[in-house]
Amino acid sequence: MTTIRMLTATGLGLAIATASATAMAEDVTIRWALHPGEEADAVIDYFAPEYERQTGVKVIGEILPPDQLRDRMSIEAIGGTGRWDMGYHSPGWFGSFKDHVVDLTPYIEKYDFDIDAYPERIRESHMESSARPGEIIALPTTPAAPMLIVREDFFSHPDEQAAFEEEYGRKLEVPRTWQELYEVGEFFTREAGETVAGETLEEDLYGWTDALGAGSGVARSFIVMLYSTGLEGWDENYQPDLDHPILVEAANLFVDLANDVAPRAARNWDFLEGLSYFRDGRLAMATMWPQGLSTVEDPQGEAAGNVGYQPLPAFEGNLQDYPQGVPFLGGGGVFVMDTENSEEAFKFLKWMLQDNEIEWGKRTKQFSRTAHFNSEELRSLEPHYADFLPAYEQTLEHVFVRQGIPEYGTVMWQGTVDFATEVLSGDLTPEQAQDRWVDNMTRTFQRAGYLER
């Protein structure tokens, strides 16, 4: 009898403790400022309700417009409102949030979170920052780098191969340099009524495009060519390297591509909008971020099953002997803000990203952890993954990690916005825009104390 009473008391104690923990959990609400995309939909539609079902902790995701996300997060963080416990993390933004996020290292150790599950460049770009040395400042969710996609059926068609060799004196191949990309793009740019790969075109065909909308669109497009030249913005002594002639060469090539082989409509595209042209058979080549994969492989489109993937082209004569293009590693992750819910927020992220990493990859179609590349379940999920994933892995081997100084957004991102917009619009010559960029960067570094006045 005594033993039974002891077991009953123990069981009762456990029941009370469990009920108490559940009640406490039900009082916890974690709020997350999200960037729109498949990953945000997966959080709201599956991961948040499933976590609440399992733990009682409520997770509320708020999807914000991309052009407002940074400013709205920054206003709330600086104001100390605690509105969001987590927020979208873009590596180039960290300077704005460096005083408002928690160091995740203690939580990583406490909850056995495996940071080595991420490729080295992703850890360097999306988890670390020189503004908070020795700390883990965010977790990756959607790290991404752009790559080149092509219509393989156009390139392999014997009529196209013969015509290209006759005009350019070399074989028609997927371009390996930006200079070759211009020639191939020029070759495939055709008007409605002409033919491509034996089919009569109902609409104009364009050789290549990226999103070229003023502001972030054109900056995102040009900056990958900029990094591919071997320029880095500035050296370890904060001396700008953008006064090199290769910047003008890249700018002139970029303008030629935009004017000669890209659709005029691209001037209104900010990110992924133009991939519908590729899906519908109106592009021979395009720059694609992985978030656009489901568009170009849409079974209802003309391109599905005929898409070739490779890293972006190298820039011929680049200063670093890069064998392929060197885009910046973009996309994002998640900050854990300095609120009373920071530990609960991390526990949720650990459950979602590590404990359910394959489910995360399946539902979001985002690839950040090494398991996402190695999982046979994921690799066989879509027929095109057999071609896409190896090319994406190769792309991630040569990416530029944005420097973590608070002034990065001003000197490099906004600098690229201004430079590319002014050159593409014709408001300034490349040389004039180059001089202004270097002068502005130098003055910013002087004000920050990195350079003497």
Side-chain angles (χ1 to χ4, degrees), residues 170-184:
R170 59 183 179 87
K171 289 183 60 177
L172 174 60
E173 297 176 325
V174 177
R176 296 293 173 178
T177 68
W178 283 101
Q179 290 83 348
E180 288 180 0
L181 186 140
Y182 177 81
E183 289 186 349
V184 175

Side-chain angles (χ1 to χ4, degrees), residues 116-130:
D116 292 329
Y118 295 94
E120 180 180 357
R121 297 298 274 173
I122 289 177
R123 295 200 305 269
E124 184 181 351
S125 174
H126 285 64
M127 303 178 77
E128 303 169 359
S129 172
S130 59

Side-chain angles (χ1 to χ4, degrees), residues 113-163:
F113 188 88
D114 184 10
I115 62 173
D116 292 329
Y118 295 94
E120 180 180 357
R121 297 298 274 173
I122 289 177
R123 295 200 305 269
E124 184 181 351
S125 174
H126 285 64
M127 303 178 77
E128 303 169 359
S129 172
S130 59
R132 295 269 292 266
E135 298 184 5
I136 303 298
I137 53 90
L139 297 180
T141 54
T142 57
M147 58 201 308
L148 183 68
I149 55 173
V150 305
R151 283 291 299 268
E152 285 191 324
D153 50 335
F154 291 0
F155 279 80
S156 62
H157 197 279
D159 292 349
E160 303 299 340
Q161 291 178 339

Side-chain angles (χ1 to χ4, degrees), residues 49-65:
E50 179 62 18
Y51 191 69
E52 183 177 3
R53 186 187 69 80
Q54 293 187 25
T55 68
V57 174
K58 184 183 293 292
V59 180
I60 297 177
E62 185 176 356
I63 299 176
L64 301 176

Side-chain angles (χ1 to χ4, degrees), residues 299-316:
Q300 304 303 313
E302 294 186 19
N306 290 307
V307 186
Y309 303 91
Q310 76 165 38
L312 287 175
F315 196 91
E316 189 175 321

